[in-house]
Amino acid sequence: MSDDDTRPGDTQPDGTQPDGTASDRHGPGGTAADRDVPDRHGPDRHGPDRHGPDRHGPDRHGPDRHGPELGVPELGVPELDPVIHAQARLRVVATLNVLPDGDEMAFNSMKQLLGMTAGNLSVHLTKLEDAGYVRINKTHRGRTPVTFVALTKRGRLAFEEYTKAVRALLDNAGGRP
């Protein structure tokens, strides 16, 4: 092919156009490196604001972001316990609440009943145990380790308060005082 047969956009193996200028394949200014622009796939590609220190802070769902928090007295909205409010933990506490006071349930039975994985259930039970809502008793049946879970008195009281708050919230949503 002669120089007369070249078309716009054709480049030579070294990346230059037949006339010796830089290829415009990366836009009018060449590559990002040619333009002294940071590469978009570099270490700071998300910028400082994307993953800043307050992204996962404790108040990320606070009033400044999603409106007023539940439980603000001037609104008269009941506060829902955030430990119980997560769906999986609510299911765990509701399941344990139907047992007579002092009774416990085997971890594997609860896992099957709730259709949860062992890891997922374990994480939620740890959160409930840290709040003092459940008691975990690890023992053995013969040589087989068995874990039992029971709702504590504090957990029963918290669940009772939670259900009252949900009822009040639903009653207020229906327009009743």
Side-chain angles (χ1 to χ4, degrees):
M1 169 152 85
S2 70
D3 287 341
D4 296 334
D5 295 335
T6 62
R7 296 183 302 271
D10 283 348
T11 59
Q12 295 180 15
D14 67 354
T16 61
Q17 293 182 7
D19 64 0
T21 61
S23 168
D24 66 351
R25 165 177 94 166
H26 294 283
T31 65
D34 295 335
R35 295 188 309 267
D36 292 327
V37 174
D39 183 56
R40 70 183 180 109
H41 298 292
D44 63 345
R45 70 179 180 209
H46 296 297
D49 294 332
R50 171 127 178 171
H51 296 292
D54 62 345
R55 179 169 183 244
H56 296 292
D59 62 347
R60 69 180 178 177
H61 297 293
D64 59 334
R65 184 151 175 191
H66 295 291
E69 286 288 331
L70 290 176
V72 176
E74 63 270 9
L75 297 177
V77 178
E79 184 174 341
L80 299 177
D81 186 333
V83 175
I84 295 176
H85 191 63
Q87 180 184 359
R89 291 191 296 270
L90 176 58
R91 292 172 59 215
V92 167
V93 173
T95 300
L96 292 171
N97 192 58
V98 299
L99 298 175
D101 195 17
D103 264 3
E104 50 192 15
M105 179 180 276
F107 179 89
N108 283 332
S109 298
M110 182 180 294
K111 180 181 78 157
Q112 289 176 334
L113 180 68
L114 298 176
M116 296 172 73
T117 65
N120 193 13
L121 179 56
S122 179
V123 166
H124 290 294
L125 285 175
T126 299
K127 182 88 172 181
L128 290 166
E129 184 181 35
D130 290 346
Y133 293 173
V134 299
R135 183 185 72 250
I136 298 176
N137 180 22
K138 296 184 181 206
T139 187
H140 287 83
R141 275 194 187 147
R143 295 181 176 220
T144 307
V146 182
T147 301
F148 291 101
V149 183
L151 199 58
T152 63
K153 290 182 183 192
R154 181 177 181 180
R156 285 190 189 278
L157 179 62
F159 184 66
E160 184 180 317
E161 292 298 316
Y162 179 85
T163 55
K164 284 179 187 176
V166 169
R167 284 188 186 106
L169 186 64
L170 292 174
D171 287 345
N172 288 337
R176 293 185 290 190

